[in-house]
C-alpha cells in the first residue's frame, strides 16, 4: 500500500481556508499549472431554467389593471376551493394530521417512494378486481405536480414529443418544454362536451411520440369522458402502441423506472403519510357528498345565468371545479381577445376570470365554481351587466338582435 501524507497549511494573514495537499507514493496531487476555465465569475441560468415558461403566470402577472374600487373583488380565477372558507377541510382530516404530528413518529426521513404502510393504504383504497393494485405499484409524491414531472421524465427523452389536450392544464407544457420535450396539442371539442377529436389525435402520433396525456375530469373544462369515449381513446393508444399518462385529479400511470427518479428528492411529507390511514378510513361519506352537491348546484347556477347572456356560450361541466365560457368576440369588437375582455371585466366590475389563452384556447374564459352561492350570483350579475354594456350586433344580424 502506497504511503501518503496530508499537508495542511494556511497562507499569511488570509482567512482560515484549509489548503489540503495529498501525496500518494511520493507524488503530489497539486498540478503545476491550473488548466480549464478562466478564473472569473460567470454564473448563468441553465438551459432548463431558460426553457421553463408558465403561460398562466406570464399572462396573469402582466395584467396591470386595477379593479373597480366601488365593487368588492370577486375572484373566479383561482382553482383553490379553500379561499372563501365555504368548503372547509373535514375535521377528521385535520385531526388525523394533528395526531400524526403529536405521535412524534413522522419527524424524520421516509423512503423516497413513501412509507410501505402508506403505500399499502393507498393500494387498498384504490384496488379493484379489474385493476388490482399492490403497494409496490404505488409511489407517493409531493403533490400532483411532482407526479406529472416524474412521469414525463420517465417516459420521454429530449427530442421526443408528448400529446397534450387543448384546452389543457398548462403545467404539462411548462414541465415538458423545460426538459427539451416537444408538445403536440390535440383538440377537445366544446360542441361535444369537450370530447377528444380522435382523428386529429391519431394524426399527431409519430415515431417520436412518448406518451399521451389524458386529463379526466378536465382542468380547465370540468368535463368527464363517458366510458364509451374512454374506450375509443384506449383503442387509439393500443393501435399506435402509445402509453397513456392518466391525470385523474390525483391518479396517474405508474412505471417501475419511477422508483429511481423518486430518489432525486428525499420523499413526500411524512406527516401526511402518517395521517393517510385515518384520512382514508375515517373521513365521512357525507363530507364528499355535501362537497359534490355544492359544486353541482353552483355549476348549474353559473351555467344557467351565463347561458342567458347574449355573446356568451358556456359549456355545461360534469366534474372538477371549473366551467369554460366561450366569448363570441364578433359581438365585442372593442376587445381584441379574451385577455382584454377579462382585463376590462376586472377594471369595470371587479370580477376576475382566467382567460383561456392560458390553456392554449383563445376566446374562452375559465370560471371557478367553488365560491359561495351568493358571491356566484353577484359575479354572474356583474358579468351580465358588463356584457350588456359592451355587446354589439354583428354585421348582418340586426334582425336577430331586434328580437
Amino acid at each position: 500500500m502506497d504511503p501518503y501524507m496530508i499537508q495542511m497549511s494556511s497562507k499569511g494573514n488570509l482567512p482560515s481556508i484549509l489548503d489540503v495537499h495529498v501525496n500518494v507514493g511520493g507524488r503530489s496531487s497539486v498540478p503545476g499549472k491550473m488548466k480549464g476555465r478562466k478564473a472569473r465569475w460567470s454564473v448563468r441560468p441553465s438551459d432548463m431554467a431558460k426553457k421553463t415558461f408558465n403561460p398562466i403566470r406570464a399572462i396573469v402577472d402582466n395584467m396591470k389593471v386595477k379593479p373597480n374600487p366601488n365593487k368588492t373583488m370577486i375572484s373566479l380565477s383561482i382553482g383553490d376551493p379553500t379561499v372563501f372558507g365555504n368548503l372547509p377541510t373535514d375535521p377528521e382530516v385535520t385531526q388525523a394530521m394533528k395526531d400524526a404530528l403529536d405521535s412524534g413518529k413522522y419527524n424524520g426521513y421516509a423512503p423516497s417512494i413513501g412509507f410501505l404502510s402508506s403505500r399499502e393504504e393507498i393500494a387498498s383504497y384504490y384496488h379493484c378486481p379489474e385493476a388490482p393494485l399492490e403497494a409496490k405499484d404505488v409511489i407517493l409524491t409531493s403533490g400532483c405536480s411532482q407526479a406529472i414531472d416524474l412521469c414525463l421524465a420517465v417516459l420521454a427523452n429530449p427530442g421526443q414529443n408528448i400529446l397534450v389536450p387543448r384546452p389543457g392544464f398548462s403545467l404539462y407544457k411548462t414541465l415538458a418544454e423545460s426538459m427539451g420535450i416537444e408538445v403536440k396539442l390535440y383538440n377537445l371539442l366544446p360542441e361535444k362536451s369537450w370530447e377528444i377529436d380522435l382523428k386529429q389525435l391519431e394524426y399527431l402520433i409519430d415515431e417520436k411520440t412518448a406518451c399521451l396525456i389524458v386529463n379526466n375530469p378536465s382542468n380547465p373544462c370540468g368535463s368527464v369522458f363517458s366510458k364509451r369515449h374512454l374506450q375509443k381513446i384506449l383503442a387509439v393508444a393500443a393501435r399506435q402502441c402509445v402509453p397513456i399518462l392518466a391525470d385523474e385529479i390525483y391518479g396517474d400511470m405508474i412505471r417501475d423506472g419511477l422508483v429511481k427518479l423518486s430518489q432525486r428528492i428525499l420523499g413526500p411529507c411524512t406527516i401526511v403519510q402518517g395521517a393517510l390511514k385515518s384520512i382514508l378510513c375515517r373521513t365521512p361519506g357525507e363530507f364528499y357528498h355535501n362537497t359534490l352537491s355544492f359544486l353541482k348546484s353552483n355549476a348549474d347556477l353559473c351555467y344557467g345565468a351565463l347561458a342567458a347572456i347574449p355573446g356568451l356560450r358556456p359549456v355545461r361541466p360534469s366534474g372538477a371545479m371549473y366551467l369554460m365560457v366561450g366569448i363570441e368576440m364578433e359581438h365585442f369588437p372593442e376587445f381584441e381577445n379574451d385577455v382584454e375582455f377579462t382585463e376590462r371585466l376586472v377594471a369595470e366590475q371587479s370580477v376576475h376570470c382566467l382567460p383561456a389563452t392560458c390553456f392554449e384556447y383563445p376566446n374562452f374564459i375559465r370560471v371557478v365554481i367553488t365560491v359561495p352561492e351568493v358571491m356566484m350570483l353577484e359575479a354572474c350579475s356583474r358579468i351580465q351587466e358588463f356584457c350588456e354594456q359592451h355587446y354589439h350586433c354583428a354585421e348582418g344580424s340586426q334582425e336577430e338582435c331586434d328580437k
Side-chain angles (χ1 to χ4, degrees), residues 336-355:
E336 185 174 340
N337 51 43
D338 55 311
V339 176
E340 286 192 7
F341 184 96
T342 54
E343 285 179 332
R344 287 286 292 277
L345 182 59
V346 171
E348 296 179 19
Q349 297 292 339
S350 294
V351 175
H352 189 194
C353 301
L354 207 57

Side-chain angles (χ1 to χ4, degrees), residues 20-302:
V20 181
H21 299 165
V22 180
N23 281 359
V24 180
R27 298 186 302 275
S28 173
S29 65
V30 181
K33 183 179 180 181
M34 295 294 290
K35 293 183 179 180
R37 74 186 211 173
K38 296 181 180 178
R40 63 180 182 182
W41 287 101
S42 181
V43 181
R44 300 174 182 174
S46 67
D47 289 342
M48 177 178 283
K50 288 187 284 187
K51 290 177 182 176
T52 299
F53 175 79
N54 188 317
I56 294 181
R57 293 270 57 86
I59 292 172
V60 174
D61 291 350
N62 285 322
M63 285 184 171
K64 305 301 182 185
V65 64
K66 295 182 179 180
N68 185 335
N70 299 317
K71 297 189 176 186
T72 304
M73 184 68 176
I74 301 177
S75 179
L76 305 179
S77 60
I78 303 173
D80 182 350
T82 68
V83 170
F84 298 99
N86 59 310
L87 293 172
T89 302
D90 187 82
E92 289 286 356
V93 176
T94 305
Q95 188 60 50
M97 292 292 289
K98 291 179 179 177
D99 292 343
L101 184 62
D102 291 341
S103 74
K105 297 178 181 178
Y106 306 103
N107 296 337
Y109 293 127
S112 62
I113 58 175
F115 288 124
L116 175 61
S117 59
S118 301
R119 291 184 287 117
E120 286 174 340
E121 293 298 334
I122 294 289
S124 175
Y125 188 82
Y126 287 103
H127 173 90
C128 64
E130 299 82 7
L133 196 62
E134 300 178 31
K136 66 180 179 62
D137 302 316
V138 177
I139 292 177
L140 302 181
T141 61
S142 297
C144 194
S145 297
Q146 193 209 359
I148 295 170
D149 182 70
L150 291 182
C151 288
L152 291 179
V154 80
L155 289 172
N157 289 313
Q160 290 187 289
N161 65 71
I162 62 171
L163 306 180
V164 172
R166 176 174 52 197
F169 186 39
S170 61
L171 192 66
Y172 305 137
K173 185 174 182 179
T174 298
L175 293 175
E177 291 187 342
S178 73
M179 301 177 192
I181 301 166
E182 180 188 1
V183 172
K184 291 186 174 184
L185 301 172
Y186 66 82
N187 294 328
L188 305 182
L189 304 172
E191 67 274 15
K192 293 187 176 181
S193 299
W194 300 110
E195 285 190 345
I196 297 174
D197 184 339
L198 295 173
K199 288 185 178 179
Q200 185 247 358
L201 168 67
E202 192 158 13
Y203 176 79
L204 293 175
I205 298 173
D206 59 24
E207 69 280 356
K208 292 186 177 181
T209 300
C211 76
L212 160 63
I213 294 181
V214 176
N215 179 207
N216 181 50
S218 166
N219 177 9
C221 302
S223 55
V224 179
F225 295 146
S226 66
K227 181 178 180 180
R228 184 169 178 267
H229 190 61
L230 286 171
Q231 289 172 333
K232 290 182 177 180
I233 299 169
L234 289 171
V236 172
R239 187 161 56 245
Q240 298 292 341
C241 299
V242 174
I244 291 177
L245 168 52
D247 182 352
E248 299 173 346
I249 300 183
Y250 287 106
D252 49 78
M253 185 184 248
I254 301 299
R255 287 285 186 274
D256 292 341
L258 287 175
V259 174
K260 292 183 179 180
L261 282 177
S262 72
Q263 295 166 1
R264 294 172 64 197
I265 65 171
L266 296 178
C269 178
T270 55
I271 296 172
V272 175
Q273 292 185 65
L276 260 180
K277 182 175 182 179
S278 294
I279 291 173
L280 294 177
C281 297
R282 287 168 33 190
T283 304
E286 183 183 12
F287 169 76
Y288 300 108
H289 173 77
N290 291 344
T291 302
L292 292 175
S293 295
F294 169 80
L295 292 175
K296 184 181 185 306
S297 175
N298 245 20
D300 291 342
L301 183 156
C302 182

